[in-house]
Amino acid sequence: MQTNTLLRRAAAGLGLAAALTVAVAGTASASPAPAPAPAPSFDFTDCPAIPAGVDAAQWKCEVLTATGALKLGDRTLPEFAPMTITHAEGPMPDGSKGQVWGALRSGPTAVPGGLFGNPAGDRSPVLGLSVQPEYGGRSDFYSVGDDMGLFTLRYRVLSPLLPQGCVIGAGDAPVEIRLKRVGKSERISKNPPVIKFAAADGSFAVPAAEGCGPLGKVLNDKLGLPAGTGNSITLSALYTFRTYDQLPPR
């Protein structure tokens, strides 16, 4: 009699354990999967007008946002302000390739050391020094393999002690950047299409700053400009596009 009682209790215990196992497994399988990270948002308001007579469905407005490190002469900016580049490209009516520049948007980045090389100078409202990129007037964004074409920049030099016209790469001598893709690109979203990639160029020359008034020589000496070698830029970028038939009417 006692043996039968013990067997019934053991069977009941095994049944409870099995039920708990099923319940836990069911709970685990029902746990929601982590939500994917939302795709970054992009602004298409700088998309330029495309040439007359082209097919809007075959023309793309391309937007690229990037940040990274920049070395100009003797100064390194470990992380420059985010930069957004917008342009359009597509086939011309005669079948040739076409591109139209849109815009470059960015902000100033403080130059370590400030105007006179003082480690605290970049935080001084008077001695501080910043550079802000501007479009240099020429670009060719068609890629061939890992070569990502040509992009020219000017850097406006900002300081209370310098005139507004102080520019690195002024006139017909902008800084010519020829980026090469580094590593593999990563598609992080299909709708909208978003591709992440890295790129770099360590072979461009940087001219002396011009239009900087009486302190121009001091500035160039402190920055180590002109610099034919030793300059570099590395980018971490996100790229997207929309065809012009997908853009809202203007």
Side-chain angles (χ1 to χ4, degrees):
M1 186 73 170
Q2 187 174 5
T3 301
N4 289 337
T5 301
L6 290 174
L7 289 173
R8 284 196 299 270
R9 289 178 179 176
L14 289 172
L16 178 60
L20 289 173
T21 300
V22 171
V24 170
T27 303
S29 62
S31 298
S41 60
F42 292 86
D43 189 347
F44 289 87
T45 57
D46 285 331
C47 294
I50 56 179
V54 301
D55 184 352
Q58 295 189 54
W59 270 73
K60 297 185 296 185
C61 179
E62 304 189 359
V63 181
L64 180 149
T65 64
T67 188
L70 174 69
K71 184 175 185 292
L72 298 175
D74 292 339
R75 298 295 178 92
T76 297
L77 282 59
E79 185 174 3
F80 55 77
M83 178 171 59
T84 300
I85 298 168
T86 305
H87 83 288
E89 63 180 53
M92 299 297 291
D94 63 1
S96 62
K97 295 178 179 180
Q99 294 188 20
V100 181
W101 171 252
L104 184 155
R105 295 186 182 274
S106 187
T109 300
V111 177
L115 183 57
F116 292 103
N118 182 344
D122 55 337
R123 295 187 294 273
S124 165
V126 176
L127 302 180
L129 183 69
S130 298
V131 294
Q132 182 166 341
E134 299 176 353
Y135 180 50
R138 300 198 306 274
S139 60
D140 180 358
F141 292 102
Y142 283 113
S143 298
V144 179
D146 288 334
D147 294 330
M148 303 187 68
L150 166 71
F151 179 52
T152 59
L153 291 171
R154 297 186 179 98
Y155 287 94
R156 189 162 299 277
V157 187
L158 306 173
S159 170
L161 300 180
L162 297 172
Q164 292 185 352
C166 183
V167 175
I168 300 169
D172 295 330
V175 179
E176 295 190 357
I177 306 294
R178 298 179 186 273
L179 292 171
K180 279 185 173 291
R181 200 182 317 272
V182 177
K184 294 183 178 180
S185 300
E186 176 187 359
R187 182 181 292 274
I188 63 174
S189 172
K190 290 185 177 180
N191 188 20
V194 181
I195 296 173
K196 181 179 181 179
F197 67 92
D201 182 8
S203 62
F204 58 91
V206 180
E210 299 181 19
C212 303
L215 292 176
K217 186 177 186 310
V218 174
L219 172 69
N220 283 314
D221 287 347
K222 292 298 181 182
L223 296 181
L225 300 178
T229 60
N231 311 293
S232 64
I233 185 170
T234 59
L235 296 180
S236 176
L238 294 174
Y239 159 86
T240 191
F241 69 88
R242 284 184 189 172
T243 53
Y244 270 77
D245 60 336
Q246 296 176 321
L247 294 173
R250 303 193 175 199

